[in-house]
Amino acid sequence: MLYKPVIIDITKRNEMKKRNYLLDSEDRGGGSSFSVIADFEGNEEQLMNIEVDDVLPVLPLRNMVLFPGVFMPVSLGRLSSLKLVREAEKTNSYIAVVCQKKSETESPLFDDLHHIGTVAKIIRTLEMPDQTTTVILQGSKRMELKEITHTEPYLKGRINLLEEVLPDKADREFQALVEACKDLTVRYIKSSDMFPQESTFAIRNISNPMFLVGFICTNLPLKKDEKIELLQIDALRERTYHLLEILNREVQLAEIKESIQMRAREDIDQQQREYFLQQQIKTIQDELGGGSQEQEIEEMRAKAEKIKWSDEVKKTFLKEVDKLERTHSQSPDYSVQLNYLQTMLSLPWGVYTPDNLNLKNAEKTLNKDHYGLEKVKERILEHLSVLKLKGDMKSPIICLYGPPGVGKTSLGRSIAAALKRKYIRMSLGGVHDEAEIRGHRKTYIGAMPGRIIKSLIKAGSSNPVFILDEIDKVGVDRQGDPSSALLEVLDPEQNTTFHDNFLDVDYDLSKVMFIATANNLNTIPGPLLDRMELIEVSGYITEEKIEIARRHLVPKELEANGMKKNSIKFPKATLEAIIENYTRESGVRELEKKIGKILRKLARQYATEGSLDKTEIKPEDLYGLLGAPEYTRDKYQGNEYAGVVTGLAWTAVGGEILFVETSLSRGKGGRLTLTGNLGDVMKESAMLALEYIKAHASMLCINEEIFDNWNIHIHVPEGAIPKDGPSAGITMATSLASALTQRKVKANLAMTGEITLRGKVLPVGGIKEKILAAKRAGIKEIILCEENRKNIEEIQEIYLKGLAFHYVKDIKEVLAIALTNEKVADPIDFTVKKENTEKKEEE
């Protein structure tokens, strides 16, 4: 046997001979790594045909298994092992190399060792720079350890050499098997980072099958038990098959590991690429003067420190800022999160405008902007007085209700000006989505807070005057009920913790002065109505309209039409003529339009001719400016006819007078006919009145046979206008009594009140509007229910001037006041007609 081992550096691999074999072995015992090149000039037969003694020194290794024909460096640590190696090197004798069952055993005995091992030759001993000794062993032949004969100074044991069963050299299947092992080993080395890639050079250049299999088994990081199992196999062919199975498994695991590492590397590379691009963008933005994401977040934190909010809100805000910081700026969630934080910062947390509690100044401001409306002004001044005394109180929820055009909305602006507060107006007409009040969930793309929160952001104050306009016109559909969402807003006990879906934290609305406006209270849900303090804003009388036009409307329209103040004069008589003949409303909206129409015609004349014919508009000029009068004022028509009675009615545009007419005609059955576009309630009032008259015919000296032989027809003029309500009850009863008795009704008398079947008179509403209508028509006396006396006492004396009131409880009192003893000039002769009827019956 000729073996010539040489220690070389791995960088000199290009100088190796073609038949050199590279072994890169790592000492498992804690030594250093190096490369060994063995130049073989023999074959496996020379290696296997050795003669050894029955008893050999035994070298135990930790976790290392030596195969025949393989060089392996071993770092020695035990003193007994050093003595063994030195003596064997001196005598050039063989040793038995076996593996310990447990690596931590320091003094192994027979039962601590695997009994299958390899007879080896010591090729060279090296003293390393770290004061350790490394020995290079070459495996020769497999052996079996039978027993340990000596333990001092080192182990010696009795062995039995094992024969190798080699395949035939012409076995092509075995050759393919060896090549497959070689290819798999190369694949394993390439996919693993445990070996230098130069190791593939050695694998490809080992031509001896036994040496190749031993080399692979020794150097691949297989489990110790698997290596022992391979060493126990006698037949080289079977050992190679088993090695192929192990290699297949290891290569698959190595490739899977490499694939995972590759994907992880790609992810890291992508993140690094994105980071690099973000840094470039940041650099460009810095050069252009733009703020970066980090700078924006820091500005938010700095701004948050100056805001007065509760610990809970602050904690929520900082949590959301941290979430924004972790979100990529290109993510869709980033804009949603940024919008939410900007909304929180924009809200006026704890920002309040100081109230102007000068009561004289507030009263002056209210009187300057609005004429009349004494109840509303009084309520606002009461609130200011309490606020001045107490210093802090929950703002009231006021609901101003009344006909259109009476100044409900503009009154809110005056209140804000009087208090020196911010003014917000939110129209609720047609709102049918609950999200308009409470907002959307912030998780949705494009989510926004509700209009309450947005209005507060716009106002920049947490105590503005907030006008909820047209609250009676809120709609309901599948998207929710906004009026139910308003329950929390308009409840002083709940709005301290108003919860907006977008904001998702409580906000205090208790300092906001909410003022709602409505035309009709019937369409407002009961729970919502219960939360508000109702203040009626009734219509204006003619005198009030004249003052409003003179003080506010005319100057406003002069400015709107490009004319100087006082360039055109409207005398009171002219304004009254416009009100009476060209408008029919409770408010002054139509009056403003008519004044604007007059001024536009004059503006055109001035723009065309350069001058005006007249600077004072007189009543006779209205025909040329506004055309023919659109309305004629209802006037009292006298009491020349029996059965005609003047009643008082309430409409959406104010009060009006109406006439109830009753006529009689001969006919069997006493049929009752009602005309005039009457509603069900009004028809029932007519039937009640007739039944009462029938029941009390003797009291009125009415022949009961009249009801069987005369038909009764009740008509209320202006049949194109629908009429309904119970307030014409006593008017119809008086009209029936007048027609059936042929007695005249007292002159210049009007009445209103509901009647019962027992003849009781019940109170009705709209008293102020009805009184104004009566005064316009020239009525001098009015009959009302006793319970309506309180309504009269609340009306200013100026409105009652020239009127006399009769308060009644029963219809008998009404008839006693209304019917005179004077009969009409040509009364119906019921007696004659009765005789004629009897003659016809006899015939």
Side-chain angles (χ1 to χ4, degrees):
M1 292 183 300
L2 301 174
Y3 302 116
K4 222 166 79 176
V6 182
I7 305 301
I8 66 169
D9 186 80
I10 199 169
T11 57
K12 297 181 180 179
R13 60 184 179 273
N14 295 328
E15 301 174 8
M16 300 174 187
K17 294 182 180 179
K18 187 176 181 180
R19 294 181 64 229
N20 284 355
Y21 305 105
L22 171 67
L23 171 65
D24 184 19
S25 176
E26 182 179 348
D27 175 26
R28 315 289 169 95
S32 58
S33 300
F34 55 94
S35 298
V36 179
I37 301 298
D39 187 3
F40 293 102
E41 295 182 357
N43 53 32
E44 68 269 14
E45 294 180 358
Q46 294 175 320
L47 191 64
M48 298 301 169
N49 295 330
I50 61 173
E51 294 181 0
V52 294
D53 299 332
D54 292 339
V55 177
L56 292 178
V58 178
L59 178 64
L61 302 180
R62 304 173 193 265
N63 296 324
M64 299 177 71
V65 180
L66 179 64
F67 281 77
V70 178
F71 290 93
M72 185 171 68
V74 178
S75 180
L76 301 177
R78 298 187 183 101
L79 294 176
S80 58
S81 298
L82 289 172
K83 291 178 181 179
L84 183 152
V85 168
R86 289 191 179 103
E87 289 190 11
E89 188 178 22
K90 288 179 183 178
T91 58
N92 196 24
S93 60
Y94 287 95
I95 62 174
V97 179
V98 295
C99 182
Q100 295 179 190
K101 291 180 179 180
K102 294 182 180 180
S103 60
E104 61 270 14
T105 304
E106 290 297 328
S107 301
L109 299 175
F110 181 75
D111 292 334
D112 299 322
L113 302 172
H114 288 285
H115 301 157
I116 297 297
T118 306
V119 175
K121 192 82 170 181
I122 298 174
I123 304 302
R124 180 172 295 184
T125 302
L126 302 173
E127 297 295 334
M128 305 305 293
D130 57 355
Q131 305 301 319
T132 60
T133 301
T134 298
V135 61
I136 298 176
L137 303 175
Q138 182 191 16
S140 295
K141 195 170 185 178
R142 297 183 308 117
M143 62 84 187
E144 182 182 5
L145 182 64
K146 293 296 185 179
E147 62 177 336
I148 296 295
T149 58
H150 297 83
T151 58
E152 294 296 337
Y154 44 80
L155 294 179
K156 289 184 180 181
R158 191 179 307 280
I159 67 163
N160 183 27
L161 293 178
L162 301 175
E163 296 295 329
E164 291 282 348
V165 181
L166 301 177
D168 186 52
K169 292 184 179 181
D171 189 346
R172 300 180 62 84
E173 184 179 350
F174 176 70
Q175 294 176 2
L177 192 62
V178 172
E179 291 297 324
C181 288
K182 185 184 294 188
D183 293 339
L184 285 173
T185 305
V186 171
R187 283 175 58 186
Y188 180 81
I189 292 173
K190 289 183 176 179
S191 60
S192 174
D193 55 357
M194 296 180 64
F195 300 94
Q197 296 301 314
E198 291 83 355
S199 302
T200 59
F201 174 77
I203 298 296
R204 295 186 183 280
N205 287 279
I206 297 176
S207 58
N208 190 297
M210 190 185 75
F211 295 161
L212 177 66
V213 172
F215 181 84
I216 294 172
C217 292
T218 301
N219 290 281
L220 254 62
L222 306 178
K223 295 179 181 179
K224 179 193 66 174
D225 293 339
E226 286 182 336
K227 292 184 177 183
I228 295 295
E229 186 179 351
L230 287 169
L231 190 61
Q232 287 176 343
I233 300 174
D234 296 332
L236 182 60
R237 184 190 182 97
E238 297 301 324
R239 189 186 304 161
T240 308
Y241 263 117
H242 192 49
L243 176 62
L244 185 64
E245 293 174 358
I246 296 174
L247 285 173
N248 270 312
R249 183 196 69 197
E250 294 297 325
V251 167
Q252 289 178 6
L253 291 174
E255 289 180 347
I256 291 172
K257 180 181 177 182
E258 184 185 20
S259 175
I260 293 172
Q261 290 177 341
M262 183 63 69
R263 287 199 298 269
R265 191 178 300 113
E266 289 176 355
D267 292 341
I268 294 172
D269 291 345
Q270 179 67 20
Q271 292 176 3
Q272 290 176 340
R273 179 175 178 272
E274 291 178 357
Y275 174 77
F276 177 71
L277 292 174
Q278 289 295 329
Q279 290 299 112
Q280 285 185 321
I281 293 173
K282 180 180 177 181
T283 304
I284 293 171
Q285 288 178 339
D286 291 341
E287 290 295 328
L288 294 174
S292 64
Q293 177 182 350
E294 293 80 4
Q295 183 180 357
E296 188 174 19
I297 291 173
E298 289 304 319
E299 289 176 356
M300 285 183 177
R301 286 198 174 100
K303 191 174 181 180
E305 293 296 328
K306 302 176 183 178
I307 298 178
K308 302 175 183 177
W309 45 26
S310 64
D311 294 338
E312 180 184 356
V313 177
K314 187 172 184 180
K315 181 179 178 182
T316 302
F317 176 82
L318 295 177
K319 179 180 176 182
E320 296 296 332
V321 169
D322 293 340
K323 184 177 177 182
L324 177 69
E325 200 169 18
R326 295 191 301 267
T327 305
H328 195 278
S329 60
Q330 303 301 320
S331 171
D333 292 337
Y334 184 83
S335 59
V336 174
Q337 193 71 9
L338 182 63
N339 182 31
Y340 172 73
L341 292 172
Q342 289 175 342
T343 301
M344 286 194 72
L345 290 173
S346 301
L347 273 168
W349 301 90
V351 178
Y352 302 102
T353 55
D355 288 332
N356 182 10
L357 301 178
N358 187 333
L359 298 181
K360 291 184 178 180
N361 178 70
E363 186 175 5
K364 182 180 178 182
T365 303
L366 292 173
N367 290 331
K368 177 184 176 183
D369 294 342
H370 289 81
Y371 184 81
L373 305 178
E374 302 303 329
K375 276 189 180 181
V376 185
K377 295 176 182 176
E378 183 181 355
R379 178 65 186 86
I380 298 303
L381 293 174
E382 288 173 357
H383 172 71
L384 292 179
S385 303
V386 176
L387 189 62
K388 185 175 183 179
L389 294 175
K390 188 179 179 183
D392 182 26
M393 65 176 292
K394 292 180 180 179
S395 293
I397 312 296
I398 297 173
C399 179
L400 306 176
Y401 71 96
V406 295
K408 299 185 297 296
T409 304
S410 61
L411 189 63
R413 194 187 303 272
S414 298
I415 294 171
L419 292 172
K420 296 288 181 70
R421 287 191 181 187
K422 300 288 185 178
Y423 171 78
I424 301 173
R425 176 184 168 273
M426 185 174 83
S427 177
L428 296 175
V431 172
H432 53 78
D433 188 356
E434 183 184 348
E436 291 281 338
I437 308 298
R438 287 192 176 277
H440 305 82
R441 297 288 179 189
K442 65 178 180 179
T443 52
Y444 300 130
I445 299 295
M448 295 185 297
R451 294 173 67 179
I452 301 287
I453 295 297
K454 286 197 290 187
S455 298
L456 291 175
I457 293 174
K458 184 178 179 181
S461 169
S462 291
N463 64 336
V465 174
F466 205 120
I467 304 297
L468 298 172
D469 216 2
E470 310 292 350
I471 197 171
D472 57 328
K473 298 175 179 62
V474 174
V476 180
D477 68 357
R478 60 181 179 82
Q479 292 174 315
D481 183 4
S483 61
S484 298
L486 285 170
L487 293 176
E488 183 184 8
V489 177
L490 299 182
D491 191 341
E493 299 300 325
Q494 296 184 40
N495 62 14
T496 54
T497 56
F498 173 68
H499 188 86
D500 185 273
N501 289 331
F502 180 83
L503 201 61
D504 206 24
V505 292
D506 293 337
Y507 194 88
D508 186 6
L509 297 179
S510 61
K511 301 298 188 296
V512 179
M513 178 180 281
F514 287 102
I515 299 178
T517 69
N519 299 127
N520 186 6
L521 298 181
N522 295 330
T523 59
I524 302 176
L528 184 59
L529 197 63
D530 184 60
R531 283 164 166 77
M532 298 185 291
E533 181 179 343
L534 301 178
I535 299 178
E536 182 181 5
V537 184
S538 56
Y540 301 109
I541 63 173
T542 302
E543 289 78 3
E544 287 179 327
K545 291 182 180 180
I546 291 173
E547 286 299 319
I548 292 171
R550 189 176 64 83
R551 297 183 185 189
H552 303 288
L553 302 184
V554 172
K556 178 182 176 181
E557 289 299 319
L558 283 170
E559 183 180 356
N561 289 282
M563 297 184 180
K564 296 180 180 180
K565 187 178 181 181
N566 298 325
S567 60
I568 304 294
K569 295 182 179 180
F570 286 82
K572 288 187 177 182
T574 304
L575 293 174
E576 183 178 1
I578 297 173
I579 293 166
E580 297 292 342
N581 300 327
Y582 293 93
T583 67
R584 178 169 286 181
E585 58 176 348
S586 294
V588 293
R589 192 168 287 156
E590 189 67 23
L591 175 60
E592 183 179 2
K593 293 178 183 177
K594 297 301 180 184
I595 295 173
K597 184 176 181 181
I598 293 172
L599 294 178
R600 284 194 298 273
K601 286 185 177 293
L602 296 178
R604 179 183 177 185
Q605 180 185 356
Y606 184 83
T608 304
E609 301 175 3
S611 62
L612 293 173
D613 294 338
K614 52 187 73 177
T615 58
E616 182 175 339
I617 308 301
K618 296 182 178 180
E620 54 267 23
D621 300 328
L622 296 178
Y623 188 90
L625 295 170
L626 296 177
E630 299 177 16
Y631 306 101
T632 56
R633 188 173 70 174
D634 292 328
K635 294 186 178 181
Y636 176 67
Q637 297 179 358
N639 64 340
E640 298 301 321
Y641 299 92
V644 179
V645 182
T646 305
L648 300 175
W650 178 92
T651 67
V653 295
E656 292 185 0
I657 67 169
L658 56 81
F659 301 99
V660 178
E661 303 175 348
T662 301
S663 67
L664 304 174
S665 61
R666 288 181 297 174
K668 283 288 185 180
R671 185 178 59 191
L672 174 65
T673 303
L674 302 172
T675 56
N677 200 354
L678 307 183
D680 293 337
V681 177
M682 205 165 184
K683 290 179 181 178
E684 292 173 357
S685 296
M687 295 171 64
L688 283 171
L690 180 58
E691 291 300 322
Y692 179 83
I693 297 298
K694 285 181 179 181
H696 297 81
S698 59
M699 180 191 71
L700 296 171
C701 300
I702 300 173
N703 191 340
E704 295 180 2
E705 295 181 2
I706 293 177
F707 300 110
D708 297 328
N709 299 295
W710 292 81
N711 293 329
I712 301 174
H713 188 150
I714 299 177
H715 176 68
V716 182
E718 297 187 49
I721 300 174
K723 310 171 190 71
D724 200 5
S727 62
I730 63 172
T731 310
M732 288 182 171
T734 306
S735 177
L736 285 168
S738 174
L740 291 170
T741 60
Q742 292 294 289
R743 293 163 64 182
K744 287 185 178 182
V745 178
K746 193 174 184 180
N748 299 313
L749 175 72
M751 61 187 70
T752 180
E754 183 179 353
I755 188 175
T756 70
L757 195 59
R758 297 174 295 162
K760 298 295 181 181
V761 180
L762 302 181
V764 292
I767 296 298
K768 182 179 179 181
E769 286 79 2
K770 292 176 180 179
I771 289 173
L772 298 182
K775 193 172 182 181
R776 287 197 304 265
I779 300 294
K780 304 297 184 184
E781 298 179 58
I782 297 176
I783 298 177
L784 297 170
C785 174
E786 177 66 34
E787 294 184 28
N788 283 125
R789 185 190 294 269
K790 61 181 182 295
N791 301 108
I792 300 299
E793 292 173 352
E794 292 178 355
I795 300 174
Q796 294 182 18
E797 187 64 32
I798 185 175
Y799 301 150
L800 307 178
K801 188 176 181 181
L803 293 175
F805 296 94
H806 303 279
Y807 302 105
V808 298
K809 296 181 180 179
D810 193 275
I811 190 64
K812 295 176 184 178
E813 300 177 47
V814 177
L815 298 178
I817 296 170
L819 297 181
T820 65
N821 293 325
E822 181 183 359
K823 292 199 175 184
V824 294
D826 190 14
I828 298 175
D829 189 354
F830 293 109
T831 305
V832 175
K833 292 176 181 177
K834 180 181 178 183
E835 291 176 355
N836 292 338
T837 305
E838 289 176 351
K839 289 179 181 179
K840 288 182 181 179
E841 288 179 353
E842 290 176 359
E843 293 174 356

